Amino acid sequence: MSGLFTIALDAMGGDHGPGVVVPAAVGALGKYPDIELVLVGDESMLSAEIARHPVQPSERLRIHHASQVVGMDEPPAQALRNKKDSSMRVAINLVKDGKAHACVSAGNTGALMATARYVLKTLPGIDRPAISTAIPSIHGHTHMLDLGANVDCTAEHLFQFAVMGSVLVSAVDNNPSPKVGLLNIGQEEIKGSDQIKEAARLLEASNLNYIGFVEGDDIFCGDVDVVVCDGFVGNVSLKTSEGVARMVSHFIRAEFKRNLFSRFAALFAMPVLGNFKKRIDPRLYNGASLLGLQGIVIKSHGGADAFSFENAIRIARLEVEKNIAQRIDKQLEQLLTEREAS
Amino acid sequence: MSGLFTIALDAMGGDHGPGVVVPAAVGALGKYPDIELVLVGDESMLSAEIARHPVQPSERLRIHHASQVVGMDEPPAQALRNKKDSSMRVAINLVKDGKAHACVSAGNTGALMATARYVLKTLPGIDRPAISTAIPSIHGHTHMLDLGANVDCTAEHLFQFAVMGSVLVSAVDNNPSPKVGLLNIGQEEIKGSDQIKEAARLLEASNLNYIGFVEGDDIFCGDVDVVVCDGFVGNVSLKTSEGVARMVSHFIRAEFKRNLFSRFAALFAMPVLGNFKKRIDPRLYNGASLLGLQGIVIKSHGGADAFSFENAIRIARLEVEKNIAQRIDKQLEQLLTEREAS
């Protein structure tokens, strides 16, 4: 690895494959002089796609051939068994073999998680990797995990997610003491399942900056940095927020098209609303971290465009720079040692 | 009960008590000539509040004295044991005793559910009541349940929620065959817990219009009428949607205040955005149904204003008119008979 940060890209993954990954790679190379990218996938397709851009394959933009592609709906077990030369698997292998510092894939989440876990293994002390992403909030953003890798979680799993999220945020946001909240519901009598109550006890006893239970609306208020939950709840909450945002956009567009006055008003309002949209543009948040692995793996949205995918590359670069995997390892070891000592 | 529909109001409940409930009652009486309202609570406080409005206590606006109030944070078990003359309990008693067709309370949800369940009992065949409300969607609204009454649910509970939601929507929306979806997450390998998979089997075998799994964003797309989930997930999803809506409002306001141009643009945009806000105004959705009880109980948001609370009265009136409790009873009996026969 000659550049500072080498990132392997699953160039065939996602809904659009090389048509999105290659222009994103070209864009990222322009922005980040300290990265080099390895496009993993069908050599001829990738060469053809590169030829459409004003770049040449080079040390900074290499092609690494892989003969197979994991389907977007392919069951993870099947991908793991039958797709040993898939662009996804080979990209992860490059991380395993020390030939890349991180990889990015827009391929199917289940297969990516299963393959990454199989190839890279989890960090010592981590039972299950989790998926984390930043979500816009009033004062910036909030990280949330798990977003769908683990349906049922024990208290210990939730505790591990909290550690991973806290380490991630402290590193990427330069936040020395991220506020960690456990996602719960408000009603006293049924407050939380047994797992959540036990996770709260573990977190209270740790040296994490645990602020207690938070509710669904707190994710967006900016008073918590890391929101911890099981993957079912996290996934529903994330998709709910996407659904609301889409509905709001739909209604705003519809209202401004309603009549002559509103169409006129739109001339003035649209530049302002454009600024607003930039604040919650999901493309700026594209790139979820698969945390808890012995290596950095970033999942891009399957339908990501080049601008979005470039953001996922940015996140991969940042996590390499900040040494996320090792930091989690170290922090967890320290917390578990403290817990045993107390 | 001399009027067509008699509705008992817990006039002391919620953050604002009589100051909100009395004006809401006055407003509702003006709008719905077929209702009469019983204000349950401290007689002197209620008389004083009524005196502030251009109405007199009458057959249509009666006061029913109750000496106690359930606190907003009071544990349900404590309220049940110690507050036998609370405005909440007495309002529910009126339903039990056939002196009111329904009751509305903005008091604490846990205490309301526990008291309603204790006093009214569940319908035969219903193990647990659920909380349901309408949520705005692109094409109108979607009903969702459970929203927080039940943290852990079996497949049979989810099935019962589906029946209750379907009956509710078919009655209040005049929708003969509401589309029922089970809330799940998208990833194949971990799709759903065992309870959800089993609930799906029960629903597929029923004569409900079950359309399969839906995800968090589908709640708002308008392609499903009833979204079924456990109370933990439902509560997180509902609060998430409220949080996103608040964040969006905050950002829009902030952008229109940013500079001279945006302040000017706001002059034109605000009337249009006002129409948009009306479409998702949470006050128009205030009033959650406690379904599965032998009686109609509507929960208003604790912080509701008079306009909001009036909407909860509207919903109570509608559910009385549509005979919701008996309809659920009948539909459930029919479905269970069919299931046994098959």
Side-chain angles (χ1 to χ4, degrees), chain A residues 110 136 138 148 151 185 190 196 215 217 220 232 235 237 239-240 244 246-247 250 255 264-265 268 275 279, chain B residues 136 148 151 184-185 189-190 196 215 217 220 232 235 237 239-240 244 246-247 255 264-265 268 275 279:
Chain A
I138 283 180
V151 168
I185 67 176
I190 46 169
I196 289 179
E215 296 192 56
D217 46 345
F220 309 94
F232 192 96
N235 191 279
S237 175
K239 296 239 168 91
T240 294
V244 174
R246 259 201 299 279
M247 178 180 68
H250 172 91
E255 285 301 337
F264 176 73
F268 296 93
N275 287 333
R279 294 174 91 149
Chain B
V151 168
N184 203 341
I185 67 175
E189 91 277 25
I190 47 169
I196 289 178
E215 296 191 57
D217 47 345
F220 308 93
F232 192 97
N235 191 280
S237 175
K239 296 240 168 90
T240 295
V244 173
R246 259 201 299 279
M247 178 181 67
E255 285 301 337
F264 176 73
F268 296 93
N275 287 332
R279 294 176 89 147

Side-chain angles (χ1 to χ4, degrees), chain B residues 38-166:
Chain B
V38 186
L39 295 165
V40 182
D42 183 89
E43 189 157 18
S44 63
M45 278 180 73
L46 290 172
S47 297
E49 182 60 37
I50 289 175
R52 301 179 55 207
H53 299 271
V55 289
Q56 300 282 336
S58 69
E59 189 60 21
R60 287 191 69 212
L61 185 66
R62 301 194 291 276
I63 294 175
H64 188 112
H65 181 69
S67 62
Q68 296 176 304
V69 178
V70 174
M72 288 306 274
D73 291 322
E74 194 162 343
Q78 195 179 306
L80 207 51
R81 200 169 47 240
N82 301 335
K83 295 287 178 72
K84 290 187 180 144
D85 197 40
S86 70
S87 55
M88 179 189 283
R89 176 77 166 257
V90 172
I92 296 171
N93 284 342
L94 290 176
V95 178
K96 168 77 179 168
D97 299 339
K99 291 179 180 154
H101 297 96
C103 71
V104 181
S105 173
N108 101 50
T109 312
L112 183 65
M113 180 55 100
T115 307
R117 201 173 161 173
Y118 178 80
V119 172
L120 297 174
K121 312 299 177 207
T122 53
L123 289 166
I126 296 289
D127 297 319
R128 299 184 186 179
I131 303 174
S132 176
T133 193
I135 292 170
S137 82
I138 283 180
H139 302 305
H141 57 257
T142 306
H143 276 80
M144 190 164 170
L145 73 169
D146 174 38
L147 294 174
N150 309 283
V151 168
D152 292 308
C153 294
T154 65
E156 186 61 36
H157 296 145
L158 294 170
F159 174 78
Q160 293 169 11
F161 298 169
V163 174
M164 298 194 289
S166 178

Side-chain angles (χ1 to χ4, degrees), chain A:
Chain A
M1 296 191 277
S2 59
L4 268 176
F5 307 129
T6 305
I7 300 167
L9 308 179
D10 166 9
M12 313 303 283
D15 300 339
H16 311 297
V20 151
V21 177
V22 171
V26 171
L29 286 175
K31 273 194 197 144
Y32 309 110
D34 55 4
I35 62 169
E36 55 179 38
L37 300 173
V38 185
L39 295 165
V40 182
D42 183 90
E43 189 156 19
S44 63
M45 279 180 74
L46 290 172
S47 296
E49 182 61 37
I50 289 174
R52 301 178 54 205
H53 299 271
V55 288
Q56 299 283 336
S58 69
E59 189 60 23
R60 288 191 70 212
L61 185 66
R62 301 194 291 275
I63 295 175
H64 189 111
H65 182 68
S67 62
Q68 296 176 304
V69 178
V70 174
M72 288 307 273
D73 291 322
E74 195 162 342
Q78 193 178 307
L80 208 51
R81 200 168 48 241
N82 302 335
K83 297 286 177 74
K84 291 187 179 143
D85 198 40
S86 69
S87 55
M88 180 189 283
R89 175 78 166 256
V90 172
I92 296 171
N93 285 341
L94 290 176
V95 177
K96 168 76 177 169
D97 298 340
K99 291 178 179 155
H101 296 96
C103 71
V104 181
S105 174
N108 100 49
T109 313
L112 183 66
M113 181 55 100
T115 307
R117 200 173 162 174
Y118 178 81
V119 172
L120 297 174
K121 312 299 177 206
T122 52
L123 289 166
I126 295 289
D127 297 320
R128 300 184 185 178
I131 303 174
S132 176
T133 193
I135 292 171
S137 82
I138 283 180
H139 302 305
H141 58 257
T142 306
H143 276 79
M144 189 163 171
L145 74 169
D146 174 38
L147 295 174
N150 309 283
V151 168
D152 292 308
C153 293
T154 64
E156 185 61 35
H157 296 145
L158 294 171
F159 174 78
Q160 293 170 11
F161 298 168
V163 174
M164 297 194 289
S166 178
V167 170
L168 179 71
V169 170
S170 70
V172 301
D173 292 346
N174 295 315
N175 177 343
S177 185
K179 286 175 274 185
V180 176
L182 259 180
L183 192 58
N184 203 341
I185 67 176
Q187 293 164 236
E188 276 303 330
E189 91 277 26
I190 46 169
K191 214 165 207 170
S193 58
D194 294 341
Q195 296 93 296
I196 289 179
K197 287 176 194 155
E198 175 60 20
R201 278 189 288 273
L202 293 175
L203 287 167
E204 275 157 13
S206 77
N207 68 359
L208 294 179
N209 185 9
Y210 173 63
I211 61 164
F213 294 136
V214 296
E215 296 192 56
D217 46 345
D218 294 319
I219 301 166
F220 309 94
C221 72
D223 296 334
V224 56
D225 300 308
V226 180
V227 172
V228 175
C229 56
D230 73 48
F232 192 96
V233 169
N235 191 279
V236 167
S237 175
L238 181 70
K239 296 239 168 91
T240 294
S241 69
E242 292 170 355
V244 174
R246 259 201 299 279
M247 178 180 68
V248 164
S249 298
H250 172 91
F251 283 152
I252 290 180
R253 270 198 311 272
E255 285 301 337
F256 277 107
K257 282 183 186 162
R258 187 193 278 267
N259 56 37
L260 215 60
F261 172 78
S262 65
R263 283 167 194 269
F264 176 73
L267 296 178
F268 296 93
M270 283 308 153
V272 181
L273 289 173
N275 287 333
F276 151 69
K277 275 186 81 173
K278 272 181 215 149
R279 294 174 91 149
I280 57 164
D281 187 348
R283 300 183 306 163
L284 294 174
Y285 290 87
N286 184 47
S289 312
L290 272 52
L291 293 176
L293 298 164
Q294 297 187 33
I296 293 167
V297 180
I298 303 297
K299 163 76 174 95
S300 160
H301 198 288
D305 62 13
F307 180 80
S308 281
F309 196 91
E310 202 183 305
N311 195 63
I313 299 173
R314 177 186 69 77
I315 292 173
R317 186 206 152 280
L318 186 60
E319 293 198 9
V320 173
E321 184 189 19
K322 299 291 186 177
N323 234 329
I324 294 301
Q326 288 88 331
R327 280 195 199 213
I328 290 174
D329 192 24
K330 206 174 134 194
Q331 170 84 326
L332 192 69
E333 199 190 329
Q334 189 191 327
L335 283 169
L336 294 178
T337 310
E338 273 169 21
R339 197 199 287 176
E340 271 163 31
S342 70

